[in-house]
Amino acid sequence: MKIDLIAGARPNFMKIAPIINAIHKAQSEGKNIEYRLVHTGQHYDINMSENFFRQLSIPKPDVNLEAGSGTQAEQTSAIMIGYEKLLMEEPSDLCLVVGDVTSTMACSIVAQKLHVKVAHVEAGIRSGDWTMPEEINRMVTDCITNYFFTTTEHAGENLLKAGINGEQIFWVGNTMIDTLLKHRPSFKKPPAWDEFGLEKGKFIVITLHRPANVDEEDKLKKLLDEIINNSRNVPLIFPVHPRTAKILKNLGISHPRLLLVEPMGYLEFNYMVENSMAVITDSGGITEETTVMGVPCMTLRDNTERPETITIGTNELLGTNPEAIKPVLDKLFAGNWKKGNIPELWDGKTAERIVEIITQKISDEIA
Ligand code: UD1
């Protein structure tokens, strides 16, 4: 049984790492399972890709499709052409994709058209927001997936509502949290900590990269101004995504408390989050990590595909109107943030459950 593991962009790497570890464990127990790690090359910078492979001990990819940057269609087609060539030359038995990035969708289409079954890790989550490329990626991928591994019960319900057979849905938990729990003891203080004289619980972490927030200069400026004006005397540490960096450069925004830094490694970034007072973000994955670490999280989006981070966790949805920022920062400074709990099965053992299902059930069906 040979599986292709697809990883393309930064949020894929922490989801794939524990699956590789679980496969190694299964191999050491004599199970018949092999993998080929395919990096699509969607993210290619040291900061966005290589550092994650090193820190999370992910083996060097067997293949790099080197798709690179481009428009949605350019990226999708480059990944599809590269992966189709690979699969035609050297077929595999199962294509396992994770998350909701362009690589996830592109590879699942290629595999299914070549009659290779598709497994989707993080299947079934939905924001209902078709303006985000990730929602289209989720919907297309789930339409042509054979095996659905879900993070929450709600994700499974979404799939059932869409007519998916319940026997194809496996509620296993969250592989991103496997990685978080495994590496939590080795989170690392980044140089920025001493450079800016940061103190535990006395700074806020910001991450912004969604087109809705960063592609319009005026919008981004208003959001940052509101955050700066309502964060009292607290330093704001902002590791800047390449997409956002291009726009920030034009804006020329600067303030003594706004500390702009390069994208951080996994261990450094989560050190910052764990020790912060709160996080302001438009990422989805970070809302899950803050929920597990019990850190207050404010999401600058109008919707979320991860509702449990709000109903169970520490996340609150603010929308993208800059005026929403002041009231929540006031609440944070008043010490009134909710405590939150950890969603079921986010226990660090998800990847082992996935590999067990693959070796015990899926491999029989595919054989
Ligand atoms: C992608 C994912 C998003 C994920 C995010 C995390 C899709 C549709 N989006 O968005 O879900 O949350 O990654 O980072 O797949 N760039 C670099 N270096 C790199 C990679 C990108 O400079 O290594 C630049 C590109 O040139 C481009 C911009 O960053 O201008 C955006 O990259 P892209 O992969 O298109 O999407 P992201 O915004 O990173």
Side-chain angles (χ1 to χ4, degrees):
M1 165 96 173
K2 187 168 153 197
I3 307 180
D4 273 349
L5 303 178
I6 309 293
R10 183 169 62 177
N12 287 166
F13 307 137
M14 40 290 233
K15 293 172 193 165
I16 215 85
I19 298 176
I20 293 173
N21 293 337
I23 291 178
H24 288 162
K25 187 162 170 253
Q27 285 171 336
S28 72
E29 290 161 1
K31 306 255 170 64
N32 173 22
I33 181 166
E34 282 175 36
Y35 71 90
R36 169 170 66 183
L37 180 57
V38 180
H39 192 321
T40 65
Q42 180 180 344
H43 282 176
Y44 45 83
D45 280 355
I46 291 180
N47 282 343
M48 300 296 285
S49 175
E50 205 178 305
N51 282 347
F52 288 80
F53 276 70
R54 196 170 31 79
Q55 291 197 334
L56 304 179
S57 306
I58 305 173
K60 195 171 169 310
D62 297 291
V63 182
N64 193 320
L65 304 177
E66 295 179 355
S69 296
T71 64
Q72 292 292 315
E74 283 166 349
Q75 267 184 341
T76 305
S77 51
I79 297 165
M80 286 181 72
I81 291 167
Y83 187 49
E84 184 183 57
K85 192 163 181 289
L86 177 71
L87 260 193
M88 288 202 300
E89 282 166 8
E90 292 173 57
S92 71
D93 301 312
L94 180 72
C95 171
L96 183 144
V97 295
V98 298
D100 55 15
V101 303
T102 300
S103 306
T104 311
M105 175 187 75
C107 291
S108 57
I109 296 173
V110 169
Q112 201 58 258
K113 287 199 170 187
L114 290 174
H115 312 296
V116 172
K117 296 255 186 334
V118 174
H120 183 199
V121 172
E122 205 186 84
I125 60 174
R126 293 288 183 275
S127 66
D129 180 353
W130 288 19
T131 66
M132 285 177 62
E134 292 80 0
E135 183 70 357
I136 311 291
N137 295 340
R138 289 178 201 119
M139 292 182 355
V140 173
T141 304
D142 283 344
C143 271
I144 50 172
T145 286
N146 303 93
Y147 305 104
F148 302 82
F149 293 107
T150 58
T151 47
T152 61
E153 192 173 20
H154 182 64
E157 285 163 5
N158 288 339
L159 292 167
L160 291 172
K161 263 190 250 158
I164 304 295
N165 177 348
E167 287 184 9
Q168 293 167 269
I169 304 170
F170 305 95
W171 177 19
V172 286
N174 193 328
T175 61
M176 195 170 195
I177 301 307
D178 287 7
T179 295
L180 187 80
L181 297 179
K182 176 174 176 195
H183 291 277
R184 201 171 181 183
S186 28
F187 288 168
K188 221 162 65 188
K189 192 190 277 187
W193 186 277
D194 291 331
E195 191 184 324
F196 299 123
L198 299 177
E199 291 174 60
K200 190 174 165 53
K202 293 188 182 161
F203 61 93
I204 291 174
V205 176
I206 303 176
T207 84
L208 294 174
H209 76 283
R210 299 271 168 223
N213 288 330
V214 305
D215 280 3
E216 281 171 46
E217 291 186 9
D218 196 41
K219 177 82 170 289
L220 181 59
K221 184 168 177 341
K222 279 195 186 131
L223 286 173
L224 287 174
D225 281 346
E226 275 302 296
I227 296 173
I228 291 167
N229 291 337
N230 294 292
S231 48
R232 318 225 171 154
N233 55 354
V234 166
L236 305 165
I237 181 114
F238 186 178
V240 185
H241 184 281
R243 177 181 205 110
T244 317
K246 290 180 194 163
I247 296 134
L248 274 183
K249 216 171 171 186
N250 294 340
L251 273 181
I253 199 166
S254 84
H255 187 277
R257 275 190 298 109
L258 181 65
L259 313 171
L260 303 177
V261 294
E262 292 275 306
M264 289 182 179
Y266 181 82
L267 301 177
E268 290 84 356
F269 179 72
N270 282 295
Y271 182 93
M272 297 302 286
V273 170
E274 188 175 32
N275 287 292
S276 71
M277 177 181 202
V279 176
I280 303 177
T281 189
D282 59 7
S283 152
I286 292 171
T287 65
E288 299 184 337
E289 291 166 338
T290 46
T291 279
V292 170
M293 292 193 274
V295 173
C297 182
M298 302 159 204
T299 298
L300 289 172
R301 282 177 51 190
D302 293 322
N303 43 62
T304 177
E305 59 291 336
R306 294 163 162 90
E308 300 76 9
T309 62
I310 297 168
T311 53
I312 302 174
T314 54
N315 185 22
E316 196 167 308
L317 206 56
L318 306 195
T320 54
N321 184 345
E323 282 173 18
I325 291 172
K326 183 179 182 324
V328 282
L329 280 177
D330 286 346
K331 184 160 81 178
L332 176 76
F333 282 103
N336 290 336
W337 207 264
K338 58 184 168 180
K339 289 280 171 279
N341 285 304
I342 299 180
E344 211 176 329
L345 295 181
W346 293 16
D347 58 359
K349 298 190 177 114
T350 296
E352 287 182 22
R353 287 191 276 269
I354 291 173
V355 171
E356 194 174 311
I357 292 165
I358 292 175
T359 53
Q360 300 203 345
K361 181 174 162 48
I362 297 180
S363 65
D364 284 351
E365 283 184 24
I366 286 176

